Amino acid sequence: MGKASKIINTVVLVIFLSCLFQWPIFYGLVKLSIFSCNAIYTLTSPSLATKLETTTPSLAVKPKATPLKDAFIESVDSQTVVVSREQETSTMLPELTLDPSKPKQQALHAHGYAHYPFVHFSAYRDSGKTFFLIGITSVVARDFDQPVQQCEWQSLNNGSQQSAPTVATKAHMIYVYYDQLPRLYVVAMVNCTFEEEVGIENEGGLLFITVSVGPHQGDTERNLAFEEKIGAASDLITKRNNPPSLRIAFCGPPLHGNIRADWILHWLVYHHYLWKGSAHFFFYNVGGLGDSHRRVLDPFLKGGYLTIIDASDEKMFPSWYHNQLLFINDCLHMTKYLSSWTFFHDLDEFLFVPRPRTLDQLLDQNKEKTFITFGSIPSVTSLCADPPLKASHWFVQRFLWMQKLPHCVNDEDPWVCLRGPGARKYAVNPRKMIAAAVHGTSWPSEGGIDLNATIARTYHYHGVLSAEAKLCEKKVNVSLPRDQLEQEFPEVQQYNYDLSMSKAVTKARKFSALLLKTL
Ligand SMILES: *[C@@H]1O[C@H](CO)[C@@H](O)[C@H](O)[C@H]1NC(C)=O
Ligand SMILES: *[C@@H]1O[C@H](CO)[C@@H](O)[C@H](O)[C@H]1NC(C)=O
Ligand SMILES: *[C@@H]1O[C@H](CO)[C@@H](O)[C@H](O)[C@H]1NC(C)=O
Ligand SMILES: *[C@@H]1O[C@H](CO)[C@@H](O)[C@H](O)[C@H]1NC(C)=O
């Protein structure tokens, strides 16, 4: 045999074997070349050709499915994820079979989150004719106008079994302006205003909403949104026609994660004093307040000053900061005919009005305003008086260094830096307000007053609420003479040494001593 025929024989053998075993490189080359593997199969054995033909589609699928699964396992911590058999098979693409005795099985697998046009959280009667539903909407569904189309009222007829006819009205969606980054869900409200008053005979009733569930007019769903108890309507009308029974309501942010119970108690003690015992506090718990926290807050719960609203923190409806905006607006409507002023700030913020003014004076001077906003001065929580000025001092009394200027991320006058850039917080006259945001009101956004931070401010102890936060990293001996102190701790010169909050908390502890018994 000549050299040339040896080479030809080798090439033919390689082509044959690569077709048979589908060696990746050669198989590809052969398929691209003028040779056809099918021709080679047919040449060798017709049955082999059919076998390979029918299995080829599944071979084409399997290599795809395997890397998909591997990538999934690689991308997560292997210790925390166990891929079950079931999951494994469900992530596989189905095998294509031409055997009619085996029906092809295939299912839909959702990825990500569902975009509901309206997820309702609460509902409030506003007058004889009007109800407001408070909820969230998907930012995507929000682009399709009017997902909630109709509201219907059905009287409960004082509990009699006869079902009453329903009254219907057009629903108006209110898309609330938000001052935080939108997540998948943002706040929305529904205005249900009937032509005539409904349910004001105190007979109780049901409010239904009709929601569009598709692109076609007729695709709708009718759901119960609110049940009014017998007698509840006149309670609301009475409240509406009288001055509010409460001077101050406070609406807290959603409490989540591992938080410090003692800090919350101290915050309550201070604000109970600031508002002279005239405030009722509403806290929204999304898993941060456990039984041990409740025991610490017991004096305020038992004293009737604090209401904890346990709300679910639905992973299914991702929205900014555990639905903070939803709870703000729920609380606004809940307190609408309850309080003269409703305050919205965080539990790491302490509201303060320097002398000679008082908060009461400011509220009375501005009682015709729709809202009042306050500047924010960051406290330095890494520096702390150690040893404390008094052995019994709480953390908030040991943070004595404050930034010299209020928080402001633009170059306006930092003392009147508005809304988010100034990290402002605010109080509203809830009767004059439809919607609220985090750093200011949403609707109306006019008719209020923005106070210079020299007049009213919050001291912001950023991050202290978390039980994991490291407080007092730098211990400053404040008994040292001033020049020696500045020599040993040169960083204190960047800040204001400010005892106002420490002193105010001392007074607050005296004010609340009876309530807390132990202080
Ligand atoms: C609610 O709807 C009624 C009827 O359309 C309207 O008169 C009223 O101004 C609306 N209120 C708000 C807050 O949108
Ligand atoms: C329902 O009962 C209340 C008190 O019992 C009564 O004042 C009211 O008129 C009744 N309403 C109707 C519609 O029957
Ligand atoms: C706010 O108060 C500061 C400090 O007193 C002052 O410098 C500033 O001019 C005030 N701003 C306004 C707009 O009144
Ligand atoms: C703090 O300073 C005072 C005054 O100089 C001194 O007597 C005291 O020992 C210092 N305390 C600590 C813990 O260094």
Side-chain angles (χ1 to χ4, degrees), residues 262-282:
D262 58 346
W263 182 275
I264 298 176
L265 179 72
H266 302 166
W267 184 96
L268 278 168
V269 165
Y270 173 72
H271 287 85
H272 182 58
Y273 154 78
L274 176 74
W275 288 319
K276 300 204 169 78
S278 71
H280 192 92
F281 302 90
F282 294 95

Side-chain angles (χ1 to χ4, degrees), residues 377-383 399-403 459-462:
I377 297 192
S379 165
V380 183
T381 55
S382 54
L383 293 180
F399 298 138
L400 304 176
W401 290 272
M402 309 291 170
Q403 296 283 355
Y459 284 115
H460 189 193
Y461 303 84
H462 183 71

Side-chain angles (χ1 to χ4, degrees), residues 340-412:
S340 304
W341 291 99
T342 299
F343 283 73
F344 304 90
H345 52 277
D346 288 345
L347 302 190
D348 60 359
E349 292 168 322
F350 282 55
L351 182 60
F352 186 73
V353 174
R355 272 196 280 206
R357 295 177 186 85
T358 66
L359 182 63
D360 271 333
Q361 276 172 5
L362 292 177
L363 295 179
D364 290 344
Q365 278 163 15
N366 294 296
K367 60 172 179 281
E368 298 308 320
K369 296 280 194 292
T370 50
F371 60 80
I372 305 179
T373 75
F374 321 105
S376 170
I377 297 192
S379 165
V380 183
T381 55
S382 54
L383 293 180
C384 111
D386 199 322
L389 289 168
K390 275 207 180 117
S392 62
H393 271 184
W394 293 338
F395 269 129
V396 66
Q397 296 180 280
R398 295 169 59 192
F399 298 138
L400 304 176
W401 290 272
M402 309 291 170
Q403 296 283 355
K404 288 187 171 156
L405 291 175
H407 183 282
C408 186
V409 295
N410 57 32
D411 52 8
E412 287 168 22

Side-chain angles (χ1 to χ4, degrees), residues 130 132 172 174 191 193 434 443:
T130 299
F132 288 113
H172 294 279
I174 301 172
N191 172 359
T193 298
I434 307 291
W443 187 19

Side-chain angles (χ1 to χ4, degrees), residues 112-127:
Y113 299 90
H115 289 262
Y116 291 98
F118 189 62
V119 182
H120 105 259
F121 178 72
S122 55
Y124 298 96
R125 180 190 275 277
D126 191 59
S127 68

Side-chain angles (χ1 to χ4, degrees), residues 413 415-416 452 454:
D413 176 354
W415 297 94
V416 283
N452 192 317
T454 53

Side-chain angles (χ1 to χ4, degrees), residues 313-366:
D313 184 14
E314 275 297 347
K315 301 278 182 293
M316 263 173 79
F317 311 115
S319 96
W320 188 81
Y321 199 75
H322 307 270
N323 274 321
Q324 180 175 15
L325 267 168
L326 171 67
F327 299 142
I328 283 177
N329 283 288
D330 174 62
C331 197
L332 170 67
H333 284 263
M334 182 170 61
T335 61
K336 191 158 188 175
Y337 300 108
L338 182 69
S339 53
S340 304
W341 291 99
T342 299
F343 283 73
F344 304 90
H345 52 277
D346 288 345
L347 302 190
D348 60 359
E349 292 168 322
F350 282 55
L351 182 60
F352 186 73
V353 174
R355 272 196 280 206
R357 295 177 186 85
T358 66
L359 182 63
D360 271 333
Q361 276 172 5
L362 292 177
L363 295 179
D364 290 344
Q365 278 163 15
N366 294 296

Side-chain angles (χ1 to χ4, degrees), residues 386-387 476-481 484 488-489:
D386 199 322
V476 183
N477 183 352
V478 278
S479 316
L480 291 171
Q484 204 182 329
E488 272 189 44
F489 306 97

